[in-house]
Amino acid sequence: MAGEFNLLTFAVKNLKRKQLRTWILVAAIALLVSVLVFAFSFVRRVNSSIRLTSERLGADVIVVPAGSRGAAEDVLLENRTKSFYMDKGIIDRVKVIKGVDNLTHQTYLVTMTGLCCDVPESMVIAFNQETDFIVKPWLKGKLSRTLRKGEAIVGHESAFNINVGLMEVDSVLFGNVFKMVGVLDKSGIGFDNAIFLGDENINDIIEKGKTGIKPGQMSIIFLKVKKGFDPYKVARDIDDAIVEVDAVARKDIGKNIINTLRDISRIFSLTIVIASLLAAFLAWAVFSAIANERAREVGIMRALGAKESHVVRLFLSEVLLVGTAGSILGIICGTTLSFFLSKGFSIMKNLAVDLSLSDRVFIGLAGLVIGTAVCVIGALSPVQRLKKMEPLVVIKGE
């Protein structure tokens, strides 16, 4: 233990000899790890949100009006408020497609602050209570009956937005008073920021004339396929049979976002590679200078009996100190950036899913390992050259 302590103390003293040079290298490693942590956090959060939404939708295929796939993904993935409509008669046409097991539909209505409501702009979702298999799983233990006319339930986040924690507060939606009677469990998808009501209320909303929906319209169909049928094939069959709609298999939801994300990931990857090369080159330059400055010192150590392994351990201690300090600083900065700077990205601030503590720990550990490894790789050449020096030649200054 004493030897390890003395080695560490000696390494710290050596680094303090040229503090500015040491801090420049620490800063370079910190910048590299900051970019790496922010990039990992960005990509992982978007991927997790899309995957979770796909898993939690409870449907194998979604059907939306032609050209509205992007708007549907905005609602489901990013909690945005969008409205789009198609004729309810399409339900009967979808039912006859081979492989369709059961289906349900929803209608999306957007409230407008100051025009019709005393709640912030929100997505109001009217759903068919008889056929529903999307909303009910998130109502377990919350409401043991169907919604009556004039009643509504709210998503986990909307409960805070409109202050219905006591579930006894009335809210005006599209000129109609609705009593909030329940709060959905947190789903991690767009439903957390919505208000739900039975579709039997649609006619009253249409009569008030404060929304763009017309009688006999809906927004989206969720369907399950029969066992043994391929959701992709069923979606293609629906597209071929009904030109007015777009059908999307569950695993394809968010595909456009994923493609955009891949481009962003390439940019991040290129940035990280360049930053890694610069950091490794800087580490090489710094430790080459250190090796030149301390060649005589190392020669004396070798003449007094120090082995090559002792020299390597001494300089690796310094390298690891610099790499670890820079990486920890980078993890702190990168994590802070992922919290605050990501709010400037619309794709991030609208996601319902945030990174868990375990995700952030994993990303932090990855940043620590990569940052330290880059520093070690950059210093390997100078350290190898230093340990091979002949003691007498170095002492004589030849």
Side-chain angles (χ1 to χ4, degrees):
M1 292 295 290
E4 292 178 1
F5 178 80
N6 289 335
L7 185 64
L8 180 61
T9 304
F10 191 41
V12 171
K13 287 182 178 179
N14 286 332
L15 290 173
K16 285 183 176 180
R17 292 181 183 181
K18 301 285 186 178
Q19 292 190 30
L20 178 61
R21 185 173 60 190
T22 299
W23 280 112
I24 289 174
L25 182 54
V26 168
I29 299 297
L31 288 173
L32 165 64
V33 175
S34 295
V35 174
L36 188 146
V37 168
F38 178 75
F40 279 4
S41 299
F42 181 95
V43 173
R44 191 174 182 88
R45 186 180 173 194
V46 176
N47 273 334
S48 296
S49 180
I50 293 172
R51 184 177 65 255
L52 187 63
T53 297
S54 176
E55 291 172 352
R56 290 185 170 183
L57 273 180
D60 298 313
V61 177
I62 66 169
V63 180
V64 296
S68 298
R69 172 176 171 171
E73 290 179 348
D74 285 344
V75 173
L76 298 172
L77 294 176
E78 302 182 53
N79 305 324
R80 292 185 181 179
T81 51
K82 296 287 181 71
S83 58
F84 43 90
Y85 305 113
M86 58 184 171
D87 193 273
K88 282 187 177 180
I90 290 175
I91 293 176
D92 294 328
R93 297 166 65 184
V94 171
K95 282 181 179 179
V96 300
I97 300 296
K98 189 175 181 180
V100 174
D101 188 6
N102 60 319
L103 54 79
T104 187
H105 67 275
Q106 295 178 352
T107 305
Y108 296 155
L109 309 168
V110 180
T111 67
M112 297 300 291
T113 306
L115 175 63
C116 64
C117 320
D118 11 355
V119 296
E121 185 182 48
S122 304
M123 181 61 66
V124 177
I125 299 178
F127 68 104
N128 188 303
Q129 298 189 76
E130 294 181 3
T131 61
D132 175 73
F133 53 82
I134 302 296
V135 179
K136 287 180 181 178
W138 303 104
L139 259 179
K140 292 178 180 177
K142 302 292 182 180
L143 193 66
S144 57
R145 59 176 176 80
T146 59
L147 288 172
R148 301 188 183 100
K149 196 171 183 179
E151 292 182 338
I153 53 177
V154 295
H156 186 271
E157 300 300 328
S158 291
F160 296 99
N161 292 338
I162 59 177
N163 299 318
V164 293
L166 299 177
M167 296 184 292
E168 296 294 337
V169 180
D170 292 340
S171 186
V172 180
L173 303 174
F174 306 103
N176 296 269
V177 176
F178 287 86
K179 188 172 186 178
M180 303 301 170
V181 296
V183 178
L184 286 173
D185 285 332
K186 187 173 180 63
S187 65
I189 58 178
F191 294 162
D192 289 336
N193 291 274
I195 302 169
F196 296 84
L197 46 87
D199 61 4
E200 61 272 10
N201 295 283
I202 291 291
N203 289 335
D204 290 341
I205 291 173
I206 293 174
E207 288 178 4
K208 294 290 183 179
K210 294 186 176 182
T211 181
I213 189 173
K214 298 177 181 178
Q217 288 187 325
M218 62 180 176
S219 297
I220 189 170
I221 298 173
F222 297 92
L223 65 89
K224 292 183 178 181
V225 303
K226 294 179 180 178
K227 188 175 181 180
F229 282 82
D230 181 6
Y232 287 97
K233 185 178 185 309
V234 173
R236 287 196 300 270
D237 290 344
I238 293 173
D239 277 335
D240 293 340
I242 309 172
V243 296
E244 302 100 308
V245 304
D246 289 334
V248 185
R250 182 174 65 183
K251 291 185 178 180
D252 276 347
I253 294 173
K255 192 172 182 179
N256 293 333
I257 296 177
I258 291 174
N259 290 335
T260 302
L261 181 64
R262 283 174 182 160
D263 292 336
I264 296 174
S265 297
R266 291 190 187 102
I267 295 172
F268 276 135
S269 298
L270 181 60
T271 303
I272 291 169
V273 168
I274 294 173
S276 298
L277 292 174
L278 289 173
F281 178 78
L282 185 58
W284 173 83
V286 168
F287 283 98
S288 290
I290 290 174
N292 292 332
E293 291 172 1
R294 293 164 59 187
R296 186 176 178 83
E297 174 187 319
V298 171
I300 294 173
M301 290 173 57
R302 293 292 308 281
L304 293 174
K307 298 179 181 179
E308 289 184 2
S309 60
H310 294 147
V311 176
V312 172
R313 286 173 60 193
L314 173 62
F315 280 90
L316 277 183
S317 296
E318 297 178 23
V319 173
L320 290 174
L321 278 174
V322 171
T324 302
S327 297
I328 292 174
L329 182 60
I331 291 168
I332 295 171
C333 294
T335 302
T336 303
L337 283 174
S338 72
F339 271 116
F340 298 104
L341 190 59
S342 62
K343 293 181 180 180
F345 294 88
S346 59
I347 190 175
M348 295 291 286
K349 66 184 179 182
N350 290 314
L351 290 177
V353 181
D354 201 354
L355 292 177
S356 64
L357 178 60
S358 60
D359 286 332
R360 294 199 180 275
V361 170
F362 174 81
I363 292 171
L365 289 175
L368 178 63
V369 171
I370 294 174
T372 305
V374 167
C375 194
V376 170
I377 291 170
L380 280 179
S381 177
V383 172
Q384 287 294 325
R385 178 168 56 86
L386 197 61
K387 79 173 186 176
K388 295 293 184 182
M389 288 180 176
E390 290 295 333
L392 293 178
V393 174
V394 174
I395 292 173
K396 289 180 180 180
E398 297 179 2

